[in-house]
Amino acid sequence: MTAKRRFLPARFWGLSNKLIATIIAVILLVEIVFYVPSLAIFRANWLNDRLRVGVVAVNVLDAVPDVMALPRNLTDRLLTSAGAHAIVYRRQGQSQLIELADPVTPDVVVTADMRQTDIATLIMGAFDTLFAGPGRTLRIVGEGDLEASLVELLMPERPLRQEMLNYSRQIGALSLAIAAATAVALYLLASFLFIHPIRRLTENMLAFRQEPENGTLIIAPSPRRDEIGVAERELAAMEQDLFSMLRQRRHLAELGLAVAKINHDLRNTLTSAQLLSDQVATLDDPKVQRLAPRLVTTLDRAIGFAQSVLEYGRQTSVPPAPVPTNMHALIEEAAFDARLAGHPTIVFNNQLPDDLVLNVDGGQMGRVVLNLLKNAREALEHAAANIPDPAVNVGAHATKADITISVTDNGPGLPPKARENLFVAFQGSARAGGTGLGLSIAREIAEAHGGQLLFKDQPSGTRFDIVLPSTLQA
Ligand SMILES: Nc1ncnc2c1ncn2[C@@H]1O[C@H](COP(=O)(O)OP(=O)(O)OP(=O)(O)O)[C@@H](O)[C@H]1O
Ligand SMILES: [Mg+2]
């Protein structure tokens, strides 16, 4: 296995930190949404409280028959208890001003009209106070306790701002505490329910991928019935399958090696027997003369079989090494190897354009065509008596998506046994001395080039199409 080693992210860099960060962010966002209106209401209540104190102060002074006769420091104390510099009370067309003994002349005056109670105005007023500079004076306007009466209070803005800041700080601290506590609680819950089981799955996948043939690494699924439980059971089943498939593959590979070894020795033994049979064939004995040719053909076939099995073992594992290849020339060469070029009875037509160049593995693609041409020749020779003008044609046809090279003959067509086991190695042969490897190797090579090998059923004769993707065009 050339698997690259992969690691799980450290505990706090995985899902957990994302979860914690998301929870805290969401809670803080919710807190901000609640904080803004609550600050505005806090300010409105504070201002209304001041107004009420102002009204009480006015009422107290009202009870005195002659205000002017009151000692100054009593008025001052009343004003200070309301936190104000001055109070103006208007009713029935009269207005009354009460102010400190040493009147303060304010620089900047902002009005807070408490008769406007809509939340937007309150929020804007709250932000105005919060972000204002120092030294402003507030003019609080509100209704008095009598009908059509109006109270105005002049006071510094600083104490209000100070209290609003305190309030914000408290809310901030509380929000953080709530966010942290919720995050921890949710994290513990999510860890227990999801993160821990997901880590277990991931760890198992990583470990199993390193050693898929180690049966003890197959995950033991928990009895949970949710999606994670299903994932665990599916993973366990997949690992089981993979484990048995790999084991089977190893056994097959070992068997294959053994077959190749036996086959190799068998071929050598047969070759020695062939030498002997050649010697025997030269003997004059008429009996020997009758039997020797059969012995020679039988040995030839056996050697051929051993040879193809050896080649099959070698071939299938090599991936194609594509280079620009002239297909017309490739077909010519294959026809020569298949003993079709210059055949005494069979006419061979190579109809491929001279300039068709494809990026293919010349050796492998040559073998595909060679197998198809050899099959066609063998079929035509075998049925020679019934075919008046035996011929083999190779043509090409291109569409946008692919290039098709067809090998067609006017022979007897595929026998039923070959049709049933088409492209199955060692099974498809329907002729004496055939291994049944030619077509299966040809298909494998075509597929390794990203193409296909297709049998095209015809009313007479046989046609195979090698379909290659047009991207192979050089
Ligand atoms: N052009 C053809 N016309 C008639 N029969 C064919 C043709 N091509 C293939 N066949 C049949 O299909 C069978 C399988 O072909 P395949 O090339 O796979 O194996 P083989 O020729 O028997 O053996 P090998 O090619 O391995 O020596 C052949 O035995 C033959 O009966
Ligand atoms: Mg063949």
Side-chain angles (χ1 to χ4, degrees), residues 371-372 374-376 378-379 409 412-415 418 428-431 433-440 462 464:
N371 283 337
L372 295 179
K374 220 169 82 185
N375 283 349
E378 283 160 359
D409 66 64
L414 276 195
S429 183
R431 63 178 180 85
T435 358
L437 279 178
L439 289 177
S440 103
T462 310
F464 281 97

Side-chain angles (χ1 to χ4, degrees), residues 185-235:
L186 283 181
Y187 169 73
L188 290 179
L189 190 72
S191 278
F192 174 69
L193 286 179
F194 312 114
I195 298 177
H196 178 68
I198 289 178
R199 276 189 85 87
R200 191 171 90 95
L201 272 178
T202 328
E203 269 163 7
N204 175 270
M205 285 184 207
L206 288 174
F208 187 79
R209 205 181 148 204
Q210 306 291 333
E211 280 181 81
E213 287 181 67
N214 180 349
T216 59
L217 290 180
I218 294 174
I219 195 167
S222 60
R224 47 195 296 168
R225 291 206 263 162
D226 55 10
E227 287 81 348
I228 291 179
V230 175
E232 283 176 353
R233 281 190 287 283
E234 287 304 307
L235 181 66

Side-chain angles (χ1 to χ4, degrees), residues 112-432:
D113 189 342
M114 298 321 287
R115 288 166 302 175
Q116 289 177 350
T117 50
D118 60 299
I119 190 76
T121 316
L122 291 181
I123 288 177
M124 282 194 340
F127 278 128
D128 184 46
T129 307
L130 207 59
F131 298 113
R136 297 202 314 183
T137 298
L138 264 183
R139 181 172 147 258
I140 314 169
V141 183
E143 276 157 16
D145 52 349
L146 292 178
E147 218 171 287
S149 64
L150 208 64
V151 189
E152 280 182 30
L153 224 85
L154 277 180
M155 59 175 291
E157 196 181 29
R158 224 171 55 84
L160 170 62
R161 190 161 169 270
Q162 204 53 51
E163 288 208 25
M164 279 169 72
L165 285 175
N166 283 347
Y167 176 76
S168 303
R169 252 177 247 127
Q170 278 168 10
I171 293 263
L174 193 69
S175 305
L176 277 179
I178 293 178
T182 320
V184 169
L186 283 181
Y187 169 73
L188 290 179
L189 190 72
S191 278
F192 174 69
L193 286 179
F194 312 114
I195 298 177
H196 178 68
I198 289 178
R199 276 189 85 87
R200 191 171 90 95
L201 272 178
T202 328
E203 269 163 7
N204 175 270
M205 285 184 207
L206 288 174
F208 187 79
R209 205 181 148 204
Q210 306 291 333
E211 280 181 81
E213 287 181 67
N214 180 349
T216 59
L217 290 180
I218 294 174
I219 195 167
S222 60
R224 47 195 296 168
R225 291 206 263 162
D226 55 10
E227 287 81 348
I228 291 179
V230 175
E232 283 176 353
R233 281 190 287 283
E234 287 304 307
L235 181 66
M238 255 158 55
E239 289 176 346
Q240 279 282 5
D241 290 351
L242 196 65
F243 174 76
S244 358
M245 265 158 55
L246 284 175
R247 188 161 266 202
Q248 209 174 29
R249 197 181 69 172
R250 212 185 47 218
H251 287 184
L252 280 177
E254 283 163 3
L255 264 180
L257 276 180
V259 168
K261 209 160 167 272
I262 297 170
N263 198 55
H264 188 263
D265 294 350
L266 185 70
R267 191 193 52 180
N268 292 349
T269 325
L270 286 172
T271 319
S272 323
Q274 193 184 33
L275 287 175
L276 287 179
S277 75
D278 286 350
Q279 295 282 325
V280 171
T282 56
L283 295 181
D284 281 344
D285 189 326
K287 229 178 180 177
V288 170
Q289 281 302 318
R290 196 156 46 83
L291 292 176
R294 274 164 68 189
L295 181 64
V296 171
T297 356
T298 316
L299 281 174
D300 273 353
R301 272 186 200 163
I303 292 171
F305 185 79
Q307 187 63 33
S308 347
V309 172
L310 272 180
E311 273 168 17
Y312 181 69
R314 265 186 231 129
Q315 237 163 43
T316 42
S317 52
V318 187
V323 283
T325 308
N326 183 305
M327 296 309 280
H328 186 95
L330 181 133
I331 304 287
E332 278 308 306
E333 220 170 286
F336 180 80
D337 291 346
R339 287 190 275 128
L340 256 184
H343 194 278
T345 52
I346 303 170
V347 178
F348 174 67
N349 285 315
N350 179 357
Q351 293 169 336
L352 251 61
D354 286 339
D355 56 353
L356 178 62
V357 176
L358 297 183
N359 269 319
V360 292
D361 184 315
Q364 293 192 6
M365 201 43 79
R367 215 164 298 137
V368 176
V369 184
L370 169 64
N371 283 337
L372 295 179
L373 292 179
K374 220 169 82 185
N375 283 349
R377 176 182 56 75
E378 283 160 359
L380 286 171
E381 281 174 349
H382 189 70
N386 308 321
I387 313 243
D389 301 306
V392 180
N393 273 316
V394 182
H397 167 75
T399 65
K400 219 170 162 200
D402 30 50
I403 299 162
T404 305
I405 297 172
S406 329
V407 178
T408 319
D409 66 64
N410 56 358
L414 276 195
K417 185 178 178 228
R419 267 169 204 261
E420 279 157 27
N421 296 299
L422 203 63
F423 304 120
V424 184
F426 299 111
Q427 305 278 321
S429 183
R431 63 178 180 85

Side-chain angles (χ1 to χ4, degrees), residues 1-23:
M1 273 268 140
T2 54
K4 236 202 283 166
R5 246 196 121 72
R6 293 193 175 88
F7 297 98
L8 264 187
R11 197 161 278 274
F12 277 98
W13 292 112
L15 281 175
S16 354
N17 74 329
K18 287 187 191 144
L19 184 72
I20 291 188
T22 316
I23 295 171

